[in-house]
Amino acid sequence: MEQRVSLITLGVTDLDRARRFYEALGWRGQEVEETVFFQAGGLGLVLWGREKLARDSGYAEAGPATGFGGIVLAHNVRSREEVDALLAQAERAGGRVTKPAAASPHGFYSGAFADPDGHPWEVAHNPGFPLAEDGTLTLAGVRHPLSRAFLPL
């Protein structure tokens, strides 16, 4: 398997509500057969009905849509002010701030929100993870915030 992710699909209970939320964050997508596709840098973010996604993944049912599911999406930004602004924008759009922005002892500043279906997103400014002009994050040669060592990628 090549070391990459092509698509991230979020199971949603109300496709129109989910699409409106992401559009309120400034994303532009395309709906095809009850599925919304967003280009997100070098990968795609997809919104699809939760039950349909469960069945397509080999599960008989989707199960409860509450609680932490073990995955957090992250959006890195270039400044602390962008963290605060994005958390406020997500809340205005119908999301819920789950962790107010705060500085960490490791040199980064972050907070988190959940979209209307409870999918968690971290918003972070981490000077140790510089972003390219197009927003691309490259881990090779950057310092891990918890260590003095460089990542060996």
Side-chain angles (χ1 to χ4, degrees):
M1 177 177 187
E2 294 179 31
Q3 188 170 317
R4 64 179 163 79
V5 175
S6 304
L7 295 170
I8 295 172
T9 305
L10 302 178
V12 300
T13 56
D14 182 330
L15 186 65
D16 291 331
R17 177 187 69 181
R19 180 180 187 165
R20 285 191 310 272
F21 174 79
Y22 285 96
E23 287 177 344
L25 295 181
W27 292 46
R28 296 293 165 249
Q30 179 179 356
E31 186 169 343
V32 178
E33 298 182 18
E34 299 178 2
T35 307
V36 179
F37 296 86
F38 296 97
Q39 186 68 51
L43 62 86
L45 181 78
V46 182
L47 306 176
W48 196 20
R50 186 173 169 78
E51 293 294 330
K52 292 177 184 178
L53 179 59
R55 283 191 305 275
D56 189 63
S57 300
Y59 290 84
E61 59 183 313
T66 60
F68 180 69
I71 295 176
V72 176
L73 302 170
H75 183 81
N76 282 40
V77 295
R78 292 175 178 82
S79 71
R80 289 176 169 225
E81 293 78 20
E82 285 182 82
V83 172
D84 295 332
L86 184 49
L87 290 174
Q89 183 180 10
E91 193 166 44
R92 284 191 307 273
R96 180 174 54 90
V97 173
T98 57
K99 178 186 153 202
S104 80
H106 310 296
F108 61 91
Y109 182 77
S110 69
F113 69 88
D115 74 6
D117 285 281
H119 300 293
W121 283 82
E122 176 189 39
V123 182
H125 168 62
N126 185 339
F129 288 178
L131 299 177
E133 189 173 315
D134 68 356
T136 303
L137 176 90
T138 302
L139 295 177
V142 299
R143 183 168 289 161
H144 188 280
L146 302 177
S147 168
R148 294 187 181 267
F150 284 90
L151 294 174
L153 299 176

